[in-house]
Amino acid sequence: MATLTLKFTDNTEKALEIGPKPIVIGRVSECDVMVRDAFVSRIHAEIGFTDNQFTLKDLGSTNGTYRNGARIFQCVLNSGDKIQVGNTTLVFELTAESNAILRVLPAAAGASAGPGVSAVRPPDPKQLTSPVPGIPPSAPPRFAPKLPGSKPKPPS
């Protein structure tokens, strides 16, 4: 449906075909797109497919995610968009065939449904971000804040 091209500093490129399944970009090997860049967070960003369009979402990265030079937290991707994570640039391209599929899909889905039945369900908000196996979604704080009149607890 689309292509994501990684552009390395030595002028080499690596292309990855992406479809409706969300892909996670980050520094750890569990990510779908592993980027060896010290300025990229372990779990940095995600490209997903919702409401018949590709979206880019920053997953709380330290150095931010940029689309065409502007920092984003979540946005819709267009063909030719340049995504920057750390010092790494990725180029998002829709294929001509995927543009046709994206235009035809809603009409075809609605036509196949019976009266009063919607074939396209809205996404479940709990499933918009796919967890990476083996990595907790958020780590608990290491130290509790000091409150007046309380004794500090040693770290466990």
Side-chain angles (χ1 to χ4, degrees):
M1 289 183 69
T3 304
L4 189 64
T5 306
L6 279 80
K7 297 195 174 221
F8 299 103
T9 54
D10 62 356
N11 293 328
T12 59
E13 297 181 352
K14 181 178 179 183
L16 172 71
E17 291 283 325
I18 57 176
K21 178 183 173 254
I23 63 164
V24 176
I25 302 165
R27 210 176 60 231
V28 293
S29 61
E30 289 85 5
C31 291
D32 301 301
V33 178
M34 187 177 116
V35 180
R36 294 177 191 249
D37 181 337
F39 294 100
V40 172
S41 294
R42 287 174 286 178
I43 301 173
H44 197 103
E46 177 184 77
I47 296 177
F49 186 74
T50 56
D51 296 332
N52 207 30
Q53 56 194 359
F54 285 95
T55 57
L56 173 63
K57 181 179 181 181
D58 184 271
L59 298 176
S61 66
T62 302
N63 294 316
T65 302
Y66 295 81
R67 181 191 65 165
N68 299 329
R71 186 169 186 169
I72 61 94
F73 295 97
Q74 185 166 355
C75 68
V76 174
L77 287 171
N78 298 307
S79 191
D81 280 349
K82 291 183 180 176
I83 302 165
Q84 185 172 347
V85 292
N87 291 324
T88 304
T89 301
L90 303 98
V91 178
F92 176 81
E93 293 285 344
L94 285 171
T95 61
E97 126 186 343
S98 67
N99 280 332
I101 291 169
L102 293 175
R103 280 190 225 107
V104 172
L105 184 63
S112 66
V117 178
S118 173
V120 179
R121 294 186 313 195
D124 182 0
K126 295 176 187 172
Q127 297 178 349
L128 289 180
T129 304
S130 300
V132 176
I135 297 177
S138 64
R142 293 183 67 145
F143 299 100
K146 291 183 181 180
L147 300 174
S150 66
K151 295 179 182 178
K153 294 182 181 179
S156 52

